[in-house]
Amino acid sequence: MSFSSPLWLFALALVPATLAAYIYARRRSRRYAIRFPAVATLQLADAATPSWRRHLPALLALAALAALGVALARPHLSYRAAVDRASTMLVTDHSGSMAAGDVQPSRLAAAQHAANTFIDQLPSAVRVGAIAFSDSPDAVQGPVSNHGAAREIIDGQTANGATATGDALELALQLLHGSDSKHPPSAIILLSDGAANAGLDAVSVARQAGHDRIPVYTVALGTPDGTLPNPDPLGPPISVPPDPELMQEIAQVSGGRAFTAQSAGELSTIYKHLGTQLGSVTRKREVTSEFAVGGLVLLLLAAATSTRWSPRLP
């Protein structure tokens, strides 16, 4: 909860002050009750009323004071709402190292499953595109409302080739800028498992994305021990560790966030989180009237219970 006029919250200090004054007044009235001529009669009348009823009007009045103090501060509640319009690009590396089995059943298979999980989280109003790349972007779908088109790109990949991360990011930017103006760019989701070793400089492209206010969320997939079989039967396995430092830099200069996944479960969790995050926006709703009405109702209840349950002389 946030407040437009938070200084009014200092009014809440009146609540404990009033409570202390009420307790003091009650104790003082008992100390000097002997001075009143009808003490015995009042005690009989007061004894007929349960103790909690005698204090209820004061407690209701204090609650009313607190509610009205909060109302004066103009409170707002934050909530997540589905985005009305947005365009998102999924950019997935399917270079040869994606065949590594350190992420079961393979890096590529885990990436495909996670990308579909991401799409599952998006509202239908969000336009989704996809790029699959290795030596260059070789399968492309611009942002469209038909999410099935992006799924076809994702599911049709085969691990082979080098890693032209910069070229894929550049194309994703072009597609987002060229999409329907009613669906403003939202973000790029980049998954890769190795160092960019072909094409444009990925960090320079990411810096341009940040200038265009299009964050790139990166996922470095794989473990440091990931390997591929050596084509030479007598040679050692080929090491294919991920490059989280590059992915971190891409995310940082673009205003996005970097993730590292070393298992299929971690990858699916990341993509599910991103789908929920990018498929909704945080909005605020003012709830001043609710607190004001609640305070007035509590005041009326305090007045009513005070009249009904106050002790009366016979």
Side-chain angles (χ1 to χ4, degrees):
M1 182 179 291
S2 58
F3 302 90
S4 297
S5 304
L7 290 178
W8 280 106
L9 292 175
F10 286 109
L12 296 178
L14 294 173
V15 175
T18 305
L19 178 61
Y22 172 76
I23 295 174
Y24 174 77
R26 293 288 299 182
R27 291 178 177 175
R28 188 172 183 274
S29 65
R30 291 174 183 172
R31 184 180 304 174
Y32 295 101
I34 192 64
R35 296 183 180 182
F36 294 91
V39 171
T41 303
L42 285 172
Q43 287 179 337
L44 289 173
D46 190 53
T49 303
S51 60
W52 66 270
R53 288 189 178 183
R54 294 198 300 272
H55 300 300
L56 183 59
L59 294 177
L60 288 172
L62 289 173
L65 180 61
L68 293 174
V70 174
L72 288 172
R74 296 181 59 194
H76 293 77
L77 286 178
S78 299
Y79 65 98
R80 301 290 295 181
V83 294
D84 296 326
R85 298 181 300 272
S87 296
T88 301
M89 289 295 301
L90 283 167
V91 180
T92 304
D93 173 8
H94 70 91
S95 58
S97 57
M98 290 290 283
D102 55 335
V103 178
Q104 295 296 321
S106 71
R107 292 179 180 180
L108 182 57
Q112 291 170 324
H113 175 76
N116 281 295
T117 299
F118 170 83
I119 294 175
D120 290 340
Q121 307 304 309
L122 296 177
S124 58
V126 175
R127 291 157 56 98
V128 182
I131 295 176
F133 72 96
S134 55
D135 300 279
S136 64
D138 48 29
V140 179
Q141 172 61 59
V144 291
S145 55
N146 176 16
H147 295 178
R151 294 183 193 273
E152 290 182 6
I153 299 294
I154 292 165
D155 295 337
Q157 301 174 82
T158 301
N160 60 72
T163 309
T165 306
D167 291 358
L169 288 178
E170 176 71 17
L171 180 56
L173 283 178
Q174 294 175 4
L175 291 172
L176 286 173
H177 286 307
S179 64
D180 189 345
S181 61
K182 294 181 180 180
H183 293 76
S186 172
I188 296 172
I189 314 299
L190 168 65
L191 182 142
S192 182
D193 71 336
N197 51 22
L200 299 172
D201 178 60
V203 175
S204 297
V205 179
R207 189 172 287 110
Q208 179 60 46
H211 182 269
D212 297 340
R213 296 185 177 181
I214 301 176
V216 181
Y217 294 86
T218 64
V219 182
L221 177 62
T223 68
D225 300 327
T227 61
L228 289 174
N230 195 316
D232 180 359
L234 301 179
I238 300 173
S239 177
V240 285
D243 189 359
E245 290 81 11
L246 173 63
M247 302 295 270
Q248 174 69 43
E249 189 174 4
I250 290 173
Q252 182 177 355
V253 300
S254 68
R257 182 180 173 188
F259 300 88
T260 300
Q262 297 188 356
S263 70
E266 288 179 349
L267 184 61
S268 291
T269 299
I270 291 169
Y271 268 66
K272 186 174 182 179
H273 167 74
L274 287 173
T276 302
Q277 177 181 337
L278 298 178
S280 61
V281 293
T282 300
R283 293 178 179 167
K284 292 184 177 181
R285 180 174 68 89
E286 187 169 351
V287 289
T288 299
S289 58
E290 285 85 342
F291 278 93
V293 170
L296 292 175
V297 170
L298 288 169
L299 277 178
L300 291 175
L301 288 174
T305 54
S306 176
T307 302
R308 179 179 178 86
W309 292 332
S310 61
R312 296 181 177 83
L313 293 173

